[in-house]
Amino acid sequence: MESNWYAVYVRSRHEFKVHNALLAKGIESFLPVVERLRQWKDRKKLIPFPLFPGYLFVKLPDDKVYFLHVLKINGVVKILGDSSGYQPVAEDQIVSIYKMVNSKLAIDEHPYLKEGQKVKIVTGPLSGVQGILQRKGGEQYVVVSIDILQKGVAVKVNIQSIEPVI
């Protein structure tokens, strides 16, 4: 049976709890996490934060029983979709976000972009990542957008390391 990735909306600050509960039930889950430096009076520490607060991704077969297992988990609000049903997230978007998170480069959430030139990174640790080229303050960024969330992630790139996608 074919499996697809789906975006799951969860209660505020329940991303890690839901992710662990999904894994405990044997459901493949992806929670993109970035580390941010937090400072207290006496110390500084890198703290993991969800890249998309309130959202994570699950890979499910196209069978309503699996969707019910996810929806019954404490903290899950809904699986994103439209009036025709649950809407899968493109596999290439998940793979690109996974590569960006695991590269340990500085990445941040970015406003969703619908128009722009689609590019592919061809060198370095992010080789193969596809996104939209954006220029900001003389710097170039590749933005990967998650359509169903209407959110994106941007990473600064060297213009020589990208090529247009045809």
Side-chain angles (χ1 to χ4, degrees), residues 20-100:
N20 291 333
L22 287 164
L23 294 177
K25 287 191 175 225
I27 298 172
E28 189 175 353
S29 174
F30 173 48
L31 175 61
V33 175
V34 293
E35 289 186 333
R36 298 218 165 89
L37 189 63
R38 290 292 179 236
Q39 182 173 345
W40 291 269
K41 288 183 180 180
D42 60 337
R43 69 188 188 284
K44 294 179 183 178
K45 188 174 180 182
L46 284 173
I47 306 291
F49 284 94
L51 182 60
F52 303 115
Y55 298 95
L56 55 84
F57 303 95
V58 294
K59 191 166 191 174
L60 301 172
D62 196 18
D63 185 350
K64 292 180 182 181
V65 173
Y66 292 98
F67 293 99
L68 286 174
H69 287 306
V70 172
L71 291 169
K72 288 181 180 179
I73 292 177
N74 187 27
V76 171
V77 176
K78 65 180 179 178
I79 300 172
L80 299 186
D82 55 22
S83 60
S84 65
Y86 302 125
Q87 189 175 0
V89 178
E91 179 87 23
D92 66 324
Q93 292 176 348
I94 297 292
V95 169
S96 294
I97 295 295
Y98 184 82
K99 279 186 175 184
M100 291 173 83

Coordinates of all heavy atoms in Angstrom, one line a residue, residues 20-100:
N20 N 6.7 11.8 19.9 CA 7.1 10.6 20.7 C 6.0 9.6 20.8 O 6.2 8.3 20.7 CB 7.6 11.0 22.1 CG 8.9 11.7 22.0 OD1 9.7 11.5 21.1 ND2 9.1 12.6 23.0
A21 N 4.7 10.0 20.9 CA 3.6 9.1 20.9 C 3.4 8.4 19.6 O 3.1 7.2 19.6 CB 2.3 9.8 21.3
L22 N 3.6 9.1 18.5 CA 3.5 8.5 17.2 C 4.6 7.4 17.0 O 4.3 6.3 16.5 CB 3.6 9.6 16.1 CG 2.5 10.5 15.9 CD1 2.9 11.7 15.1 CD2 1.3 9.8 15.2
L23 N 5.8 7.8 17.4 CA 6.9 6.8 17.3 C 6.6 5.6 18.1 O 6.9 4.4 17.7 CB 8.2 7.4 17.6 CG 8.7 8.5 16.7 CD1 10.0 9.2 17.2 CD2 8.9 8.0 15.3
A24 N 6.1 5.8 19.3 CA 5.7 4.6 20.2 C 4.7 3.7 19.6 O 4.7 2.5 19.9 CB 5.3 5.2 21.6
K25 N 3.8 4.3 18.8 CA 2.8 3.5 18.1 C 3.3 2.9 16.8 O 2.5 2.2 16.0 CB 1.5 4.3 17.8 CG 0.7 4.6 19.1 CD -0.6 5.2 18.7 CE -1.4 5.3 20.0 NZ -2.8 4.9 19.8
G26 N 4.5 3.1 16.4 CA 5.1 2.6 15.2 C 4.7 3.4 14.0 O 4.8 2.9 12.8
I27 N 4.3 4.6 14.1 CA 4.0 5.5 13.0 C 5.1 6.4 12.7 O 5.7 7.1 13.6 CB 2.7 6.3 13.3 CG1 1.5 5.4 13.6 CG2 2.4 7.3 12.2 CD1 0.3 6.1 14.1
E28 N 5.6 6.4 11.4 CA 6.7 7.2 11.0 C 6.3 8.7 11.1 O 5.3 9.1 10.6 CB 7.1 6.9 9.6 CG 8.4 7.5 9.1 CD 8.9 7.1 7.8 OE1 8.3 6.2 7.2 OE2 9.8 7.7 7.3
S29 N 7.2 9.4 11.9 CA 6.9 10.8 12.1 C 8.1 11.6 11.9 O 9.2 11.2 12.2 CB 6.4 10.9 13.6 OG 6.3 12.3 14.0
F30 N 8.0 12.9 11.4 CA 9.1 13.8 11.2 C 8.7 15.1 11.8 O 7.8 15.8 11.5 CB 9.4 13.9 9.7 CG 10.4 15.0 9.4 CD1 11.6 15.0 10.0 CD2 10.1 15.9 8.4 CE1 12.5 16.0 9.7 CE2 11.0 16.9 8.0 CZ 12.3 16.9 8.7
L31 N 9.5 15.5 12.9 CA 9.4 16.8 13.5 C 10.6 17.6 13.3 O 11.7 17.3 13.9 CB 9.2 16.6 15.0 CG 9.1 17.8 15.9 CD1 7.9 18.7 15.5 CD2 9.0 17.5 17.4
P32 N 10.6 18.5 12.3 CA 11.8 19.3 12.0 C 12.1 20.2 13.2 O 11.2 21.0 13.7 CB 11.4 20.2 10.8 CG 10.1 19.6 10.3 CD 9.5 18.9 11.4
V33 N 13.3 20.1 13.7 CA 13.8 20.8 14.9 C 15.0 21.6 14.7 O 15.9 21.1 14.0 CB 14.0 19.8 16.1 CG1 14.6 20.5 17.3 CG2 12.8 19.0 16.4
V34 N 15.1 22.8 15.2 CA 16.3 23.6 15.1 C 16.7 24.0 16.5 O 15.8 24.1 17.4 CB 16.0 24.9 14.3 CG1 15.8 24.6 12.8 CG2 14.9 25.7 14.8
E35 N 17.9 24.2 16.7 CA 18.4 24.7 18.0 C 18.6 26.2 18.1 O 19.2 26.7 17.1 CB 19.7 23.9 18.4 CG 19.5 22.5 18.7 CD 20.8 21.8 19.2 OE1 21.9 22.3 18.9 OE2 20.7 20.8 19.9
R36 N 18.1 26.8 19.1 CA 18.3 28.2 19.3 C 18.9 28.5 20.6 O 18.6 27.8 21.6 CB 16.9 28.9 19.2 CG 16.2 28.7 17.8 CD 15.5 29.9 17.4 NE 15.2 29.8 16.0 CZ 14.1 29.3 15.5 NH1 13.2 28.8 16.3 NH2 13.9 29.3 14.2
L37 N 19.8 29.5 20.6 CA 20.5 29.9 21.9 C 19.5 30.7 22.8 O 19.0 31.7 22.4 CB 21.7 30.7 21.5 CG 22.7 31.0 22.7 CD1 23.3 29.7 23.2 CD2 23.8 31.9 22.2
R38 N 19.4 30.2 24.0 CA 18.6 30.9 25.0 C 19.5 31.3 26.1 O 20.4 30.6 26.5 CB 17.4 30.0 25.6 CG 16.4 29.7 24.5 CD 15.6 31.0 24.3 NE 14.6 30.9 23.3 CZ 14.5 31.5 22.1 NH1 15.4 32.5 21.9 NH2 13.5 31.3 21.3
Q39 N 19.2 32.5 26.7 CA 20.1 33.0 27.7 C 19.3 33.3 29.0 O 18.2 33.9 28.9 CB 20.8 34.3 27.2 CG 21.7 34.9 28.3 CD 22.5 36.1 27.7 OE1 22.5 36.3 26.5 NE2 23.1 36.9 28.6
W40 N 19.8 32.8 30.1 CA 19.3 33.2 31.4 C 20.3 34.0 32.1 O 21.4 34.3 31.5 CB 19.1 31.9 32.2 CG 18.0 31.1 31.6 CD1 16.7 31.1 32.0 CD2 18.0 30.0 30.6 NE1 15.9 30.2 31.3 CE2 16.7 29.5 30.4 CE3 19.1 29.5 29.9 CZ2 16.4 28.5 29.5 CZ3 18.8 28.5 29.0 CH2 17.5 28.0 28.8
K41 N 20.0 34.5 33.3 CA 21.0 35.3 34.0 C 22.3 34.7 34.2 O 23.4 35.3 34.1 CB 20.4 35.8 35.3 CG 19.3 36.7 35.2 CD 18.8 37.1 36.6 CE 17.6 38.1 36.5 NZ 17.1 38.6 37.8
D42 N 22.3 33.4 34.5 CA 23.5 32.7 34.8 C 24.1 31.8 33.7 O 25.3 31.3 33.9 CB 23.3 31.8 36.1 CG 22.2 30.8 35.9 OD1 21.4 31.0 35.0 OD2 22.3 29.8 36.6
R43 N 23.4 31.6 32.6 CA 24.0 30.7 31.6 C 23.3 30.9 30.3 O 22.2 31.5 30.2 CB 23.9 29.3 32.1 CG 22.4 28.7 32.1 CD 22.4 27.3 32.7 NE 21.1 26.7 32.6 CZ 20.0 27.0 33.4 NH1 20.1 28.0 34.3 NH2 18.9 26.4 33.2
K44 N 23.9 30.3 29.2 CA 23.4 30.2 27.9 C 23.3 28.8 27.5 O 24.1 28.0 27.9 CB 24.3 30.9 26.9 CG 24.4 32.4 27.1 CD 25.3 33.0 26.0 CE 25.5 34.5 26.2 NZ 26.4 35.1 25.3
K45 N 22.2 28.4 26.8 CA 22.1 27.0 26.4 C 21.3 26.9 25.0 O 20.5 27.7 24.7 CB 21.2 26.3 27.5 CG 21.1 24.8 27.3 CD 20.4 24.2 28.5 CE 20.3 22.7 28.3 NZ 19.6 22.0 29.4
L46 N 21.7 25.9 24.2 CA 21.1 25.6 23.0 C 19.8 24.8 23.3 O 19.9 23.7 23.9 CB 22.0 24.9 22.0 CG 23.0 25.8 21.3 CD1 24.0 24.9 20.5 CD2 22.4 26.8 20.4
I47 N 18.7 25.3 22.9 CA 17.4 24.6 23.2 C 16.8 24.2 21.9 O 16.7 25.0 20.9 CB 16.4 25.5 24.0 CG1 17.1 26.1 25.2 CG2 15.1 24.8 24.3 CD1 17.3 25.1 26.3
P48 N 16.3 22.9 21.8 CA 15.6 22.5 20.5 C 14.2 23.1 20.5 O 13.4 23.1 21.4 CB 15.6 21.0 20.6 CG 15.7 20.7 22.1 CD 16.4 21.8 22.7
F49 N 13.8 23.6 19.3 CA 12.5 24.2 19.0 C 12.0 23.6 17.7 O 12.8 23.4 16.8 CB 12.6 25.7 18.9 CG 12.8 26.5 20.1 CD1 14.0 26.8 20.6 CD2 11.6 26.9 20.9 CE1 14.1 27.6 21.8 CE2 11.8 27.6 22.0 CZ 13.0 27.9 22.5
P50 N 10.7 23.4 17.6 CA 10.1 22.9 16.4 C 10.3 24.0 15.3 O 10.1 25.2 15.6 CB 8.6 22.8 16.7 CG 8.5 22.7 18.2 CD 9.7 23.5 18.7
L51 N 10.7 23.6 14.1 CA 10.8 24.6 13.0 C 9.5 25.2 12.7 O 9.4 26.4 12.4 CB 11.5 23.9 11.8 CG 11.8 24.8 10.6 CD1 12.7 25.9 11.0 CD2 12.4 23.9 9.5
F52 N 8.5 24.4 12.6 CA 7.1 24.9 12.4 C 6.3 24.7 13.6 O 5.7 23.6 13.8 CB 6.5 24.1 11.2 CG 7.3 24.2 9.9 CD1 7.8 23.0 9.4 CD2 7.4 25.4 9.2 CE1 8.6 23.1 8.2 CE2 8.2 25.4 8.0 CZ 8.7 24.3 7.5
P53 N 6.2 25.7 14.5 CA 5.5 25.5 15.7 C 4.0 25.1 15.5 O 3.3 25.7 14.6 CB 5.5 26.9 16.4 CG 6.7 27.5 15.8 CD 6.8 27.0 14.4
G54 N 3.6 24.0 16.1 CA 2.2 23.5 16.0 C 2.0 22.5 14.9 O 0.9 22.0 14.7
Y55 N 3.1 22.1 14.2 CA 3.0 21.1 13.1 C 4.1 20.1 13.1 O 5.2 20.4 13.6 CB 3.1 21.9 11.7 CG 2.0 22.9 11.5 CD1 2.2 24.2 11.8 CD2 0.7 22.5 11.0 CE1 1.2 25.1 11.6 CE2 -0.3 23.4 10.8 CZ 0.0 24.7 11.1 OH -1.0 25.6 10.9
L56 N 3.7 18.9 12.7 CA 4.7 17.9 12.4 C 4.2 17.0 11.2 O 3.1 17.3 10.8 CB 5.0 17.0 13.6 CG 3.9 16.3 14.4 CD1 3.5 15.0 13.7 CD2 4.3 16.1 15.8
F57 N 4.9 16.1 10.8 CA 4.5 15.3 9.6 C 4.5 13.8 9.9 O 5.3 13.3 10.7 CB 5.5 15.6 8.5 CG 5.7 17.0 8.1 CD1 6.7 17.8 8.6 CD2 4.8 17.6 7.2 CE1 6.8 19.1 8.3 CE2 4.9 19.0 6.9 CZ 5.9 19.7 7.5
V58 N 3.6 13.1 9.3 CA 3.5 11.7 9.5 C 3.4 11.0 8.1 O 2.8 11.6 7.2 CB 2.2 11.2 10.3 CG1 2.4 11.7 11.8 CG2 0.9 11.7 9.7
K59 N 3.9 9.8 8.0 CA 3.9 9.0 6.8 C 2.9 7.9 7.0 O 3.1 7.1 7.8 CB 5.2 8.5 6.4 CG 5.3 8.0 5.0 CD 6.7 7.7 4.5 CE 6.6 7.4 3.0 NZ 8.0 7.4 2.4
L60 N 1.8 8.0 6.2 CA 0.7 7.0 6.4 C 0.2 6.4 5.1 O 0.2 7.0 4.1 CB -0.5 7.7 7.0 CG -0.4 8.4 8.4 CD1 -1.6 9.2 8.7 CD2 -0.1 7.4 9.4
P61 N -0.1 5.1 5.2 CA -0.8 4.5 4.0 C -2.1 5.1 3.8 O -2.7 5.7 4.7 CB -0.9 3.0 4.4 CG -0.1 2.8 5.6 CD 0.1 4.1 6.3
D62 N -2.7 5.0 2.6 CA -3.9 5.6 2.3 C -5.1 4.7 2.8 O -5.8 4.2 2.0 CB -4.0 5.9 0.8 CG -5.1 6.9 0.4 OD1 -5.6 7.6 1.3 OD2 -5.5 6.9 -0.8
D63 N -5.2 4.7 4.1 CA -6.2 3.8 4.7 C -6.8 4.6 5.9 O -6.0 5.0 6.8 CB -5.6 2.5 5.1 CG -6.6 1.5 5.7 OD1 -7.8 1.9 6.0 OD2 -6.3 0.4 5.9
K64 N -8.1 4.7 6.0 CA -8.7 5.6 7.1 C -8.3 5.1 8.5 O -8.3 5.9 9.4 CB -10.2 5.6 6.9 CG -10.6 6.4 5.7 CD -12.1 6.4 5.5 CE -12.4 7.2 4.2 NZ -13.9 7.3 4.0
V65 N -8.1 3.8 8.6 CA -7.7 3.2 10.0 C -6.5 3.9 10.5 O -6.4 4.3 11.7 CB -7.5 1.7 9.9 CG1 -7.0 1.1 11.2 CG2 -8.8 1.0 9.4
Y66 N -5.5 4.1 9.7 CA -4.2 4.8 10.1 C -4.5 6.2 10.5 O -3.9 6.7 11.5 CB -3.1 4.7 9.0 CG -2.7 3.3 8.8 CD1 -3.2 2.5 7.8 CD2 -1.7 2.7 9.6 CE1 -2.8 1.2 7.5 CE2 -1.3 1.4 9.4 CZ -1.8 0.6 8.4 OH -1.4 -0.7 8.2
F67 N -5.3 6.9 9.8 CA -5.6 8.3 10.1 C -6.3 8.4 11.5 O -6.0 9.3 12.2 CB -6.5 9.0 9.0 CG -5.8 9.1 7.7 CD1 -6.0 8.2 6.7 CD2 -4.9 10.2 7.5 CE1 -5.3 8.4 5.5 CE2 -4.3 10.4 6.3 CZ -4.4 9.5 5.3
L68 N -7.2 7.4 11.8 CA -7.8 7.4 13.1 C -6.9 7.2 14.2 O -7.0 7.8 15.3 CB -8.9 6.3 13.1 CG -10.2 6.6 12.3 CD1 -11.1 5.4 12.3 CD2 -10.9 7.8 12.9
H69 N -5.9 6.3 14.0 CA -4.8 6.1 15.0 C -4.1 7.4 15.3 O -3.8 7.7 16.5 CB -3.8 5.1 14.5 CG -4.3 3.7 14.5 ND1 -4.8 3.0 15.6 CD2 -4.3 2.7 13.5 CE1 -5.1 1.8 15.3 NE2 -4.8 1.6 14.0
V70 N -3.8 8.2 14.3 CA -3.2 9.5 14.5 C -4.1 10.5 15.3 O -3.7 11.1 16.2 CB -2.7 10.1 13.2 CG1 -2.2 11.5 13.4 CG2 -1.6 9.2 12.6
L71 N -5.3 10.6 14.8 CA -6.3 11.5 15.4 C -6.6 11.2 16.8 O -7.0 12.1 17.6 CB -7.6 11.5 14.5 CG -7.4 12.2 13.2 CD1 -8.6 11.9 12.3 CD2 -7.1 13.6 13.2
K72 N -6.4 10.0 17.3 CA -6.7 9.6 18.7 C -5.6 9.9 19.6 O -5.8 9.9 20.8 CB -7.0 8.1 18.8 CG -8.4 7.7 18.2 CD -8.6 6.2 18.3 CE -10.0 5.8 17.7 NZ -10.2 4.4 17.8
I73 N -4.5 10.3 19.1 CA -3.3 10.6 20.0 C -3.6 12.0 20.7 O -4.0 13.0 20.1 CB -2.0 10.7 19.2 CG1 -1.7 9.2 18.7 CG2 -0.9 11.3 20.0 CD1 -0.5 9.1 17.9
N74 N -3.4 12.0 22.0 CA -3.6 13.2 22.8 C -2.7 14.3 22.3 O -1.5 14.1 22.2 CB -3.3 12.9 24.3 CG -3.6 14.0 25.2 OD1 -4.5 14.8 24.9 ND2 -2.9 14.1 26.3
G75 N -3.3 15.4 22.0 CA -2.5 16.6 21.5 C -2.7 16.9 20.0 O -2.5 18.0 19.6
V76 N -3.2 15.8 19.3 CA -3.4 16.0 17.9 C -4.7 16.8 17.7 O -5.8 16.4 18.2 CB -3.5 14.7 17.1 CG1 -3.9 14.9 15.7 CG2 -2.1 14.0 17.1
V77 N -4.7 17.8 16.9 CA -6.0 18.6 16.6 C -6.6 18.1 15.3 O -7.8 17.7 15.3 CB -5.7 20.1 16.5 CG1 -6.9 20.9 16.1 CG2 -5.1 20.6 17.8
K78 N -5.8 18.0 14.2 CA -6.3 17.6 13.0 C -5.2 17.3 12.0 O -4.0 17.7 12.2 CB -7.3 18.6 12.3 CG -6.6 19.9 11.9 CD -7.6 20.8 11.3 CE -7.0 22.1 10.9 NZ -7.9 23.1 10.3
I79 N -5.5 16.5 11.0 CA -4.6 16.3 9.8 C -5.1 17.3 8.8 O -6.3 17.3 8.5 CB -4.7 14.8 9.3 CG1 -4.3 13.9 10.5 CG2 -3.8 14.6 8.1 CD1 -4.5 12.4 10.2
L80 N -4.1 18.0 8.2 CA -4.5 19.1 7.3 C -5.0 18.5 5.9 O -4.5 17.5 5.5 CB -3.3 20.0 7.0 CG -2.8 20.7 8.2 CD1 -1.7 21.7 7.8 CD2 -3.8 21.5 9.0
G81 N -6.0 19.2 5.4 CA -6.5 18.8 4.1 C -7.5 19.8 3.7 O -7.6 20.9 4.2
D82 N -8.4 19.5 2.7 CA -9.4 20.3 2.2 C -10.7 19.6 2.2 O -10.8 18.5 2.8 CB -9.1 20.9 0.9 CG -8.8 19.9 -0.2 OD1 -9.2 18.7 0.0 OD2 -8.1 20.2 -1.2
S83 N -11.7 20.1 1.6 CA -13.1 19.5 1.6 C -13.1 18.1 0.9 O -13.9 17.3 1.2 CB -14.1 20.4 0.9 OG -13.7 20.6 -0.4
S84 N -12.1 17.8 0.1 CA -12.0 16.5 -0.6 C -11.3 15.5 0.2 O -11.2 14.3 -0.2 CB -11.3 16.7 -2.0 OG -10.0 17.1 -1.8
G85 N -10.7 15.8 1.3 CA -10.0 14.9 2.2 C -8.6 15.4 2.6 O -8.3 16.5 2.5
Y86 N -7.9 14.5 3.2 CA -6.5 14.8 3.7 C -5.6 15.1 2.5 O -5.7 14.3 1.5 CB -6.0 13.7 4.6 CG -6.8 13.4 5.8 CD1 -7.3 12.2 6.0 CD2 -7.2 14.4 6.6 CE1 -8.1 11.9 7.1 CE2 -8.0 14.2 7.8 CZ -8.4 12.9 8.0 OH -9.2 12.7 9.1
Q87 N -4.8 16.1 2.6 CA -4.0 16.5 1.4 C -2.5 16.1 1.7 O -1.9 16.6 2.7 CB -4.1 18.0 1.2 CG -3.4 18.4 0.0 CD -3.6 19.9 -0.3 OE1 -4.3 20.6 0.5 NE2 -3.1 20.4 -1.4
P88 N -1.9 15.2 0.9 CA -0.5 14.8 1.2 C 0.5 15.9 0.9 O 0.2 16.8 0.1 CB -0.3 13.6 0.2 CG -1.4 13.7 -0.8 CD -2.5 14.5 -0.2
V89 N 1.6 15.9 1.6 CA 2.7 16.8 1.4 C 3.6 16.1 0.4 O 3.9 14.9 0.5 CB 3.4 17.1 2.7 CG1 4.6 18.0 2.5 CG2 2.5 17.7 3.7
A90 N 4.1 16.9 -0.6 CA 5.0 16.3 -1.6 C 6.3 15.7 -0.9 O 6.9 16.4 -0.1 CB 5.4 17.4 -2.6
E91 N 6.7 14.6 -1.4 CA 7.9 13.9 -0.8 C 9.1 14.7 -1.0 O 9.9 14.8 -0.1 CB 8.0 12.5 -1.6 CG 9.2 11.7 -1.1 CD 9.0 10.8 0.0 OE1 7.8 10.5 0.3 OE2 9.9 10.4 0.7
D92 N 9.3 15.4 -2.1 CA 10.5 16.2 -2.3 C 10.6 17.4 -1.3 O 11.7 17.8 -0.9 CB 10.6 16.7 -3.7 CG 9.5 17.7 -4.1 OD1 8.4 17.5 -3.7 OD2 9.9 18.6 -4.9
Q93 N 9.4 17.9 -0.9 CA 9.4 19.0 0.1 C 9.9 18.4 1.5 O 10.7 19.1 2.2 CB 8.0 19.6 0.3 CG 7.6 20.3 -0.9 CD 6.2 20.9 -0.8 OE1 5.4 20.5 0.1 NE2 5.8 21.7 -1.8
I94 N 9.5 17.2 1.9 CA 9.9 16.6 3.1 C 11.4 16.3 3.1 O 12.1 16.6 4.0 CB 9.1 15.3 3.4 CG1 7.6 15.7 3.6 CG2 9.6 14.6 4.6 CD1 7.3 16.4 4.8
V95 N 11.8 15.7 2.0 CA 13.3 15.4 1.8 C 14.1 16.6 1.9 O 15.2 16.6 2.6 CB 13.5 14.6 0.5 CG1 15.0 14.5 0.2 CG2 12.8 13.2 0.6
S96 N 13.7 17.7 1.3 CA 14.5 19.0 1.3 C 14.5 19.5 2.7 O 15.6 20.0 3.2 CB 13.9 20.0 0.3 OG 14.0 19.5 -1.0
I97 N 13.4 19.6 3.4 CA 13.4 20.1 4.8 C 14.3 19.2 5.7 O 15.0 19.7 6.5 CB 11.9 20.1 5.4 CG1 11.1 21.1 4.6 CG2 11.9 20.4 6.9 CD1 11.5 22.6 4.8
Y98 N 14.2 17.9 5.5 CA 15.0 16.9 6.3 C 16.5 17.2 6.1 O 17.3 17.3 7.0 CB 14.7 15.5 5.9 CG 15.4 14.5 6.7 CD1 15.0 14.1 7.9 CD2 16.6 13.9 6.2 CE1 15.7 13.1 8.7 CE2 17.3 12.9 6.9 CZ 16.8 12.5 8.2 OH 17.5 11.6 8.9
K99 N 16.9 17.4 4.8 CA 18.3 17.7 4.5 C 18.7 19.1 5.2 O 19.8 19.2 5.7 CB 18.6 17.8 3.0 CG 18.8 16.5 2.4 CD 19.2 16.6 0.9 CE 19.5 15.3 0.2 NZ 19.9 15.5 -1.1
M100 N 17.9 20.1 5.1 CA 18.2 21.4 5.6 C 18.4 21.3 7.1 O 19.3 21.9 7.7 CB 17.1 22.4 5.2 CG 17.1 22.7 3.8 SD 15.7 23.8 3.3 CE 16.4 25.4 3.7

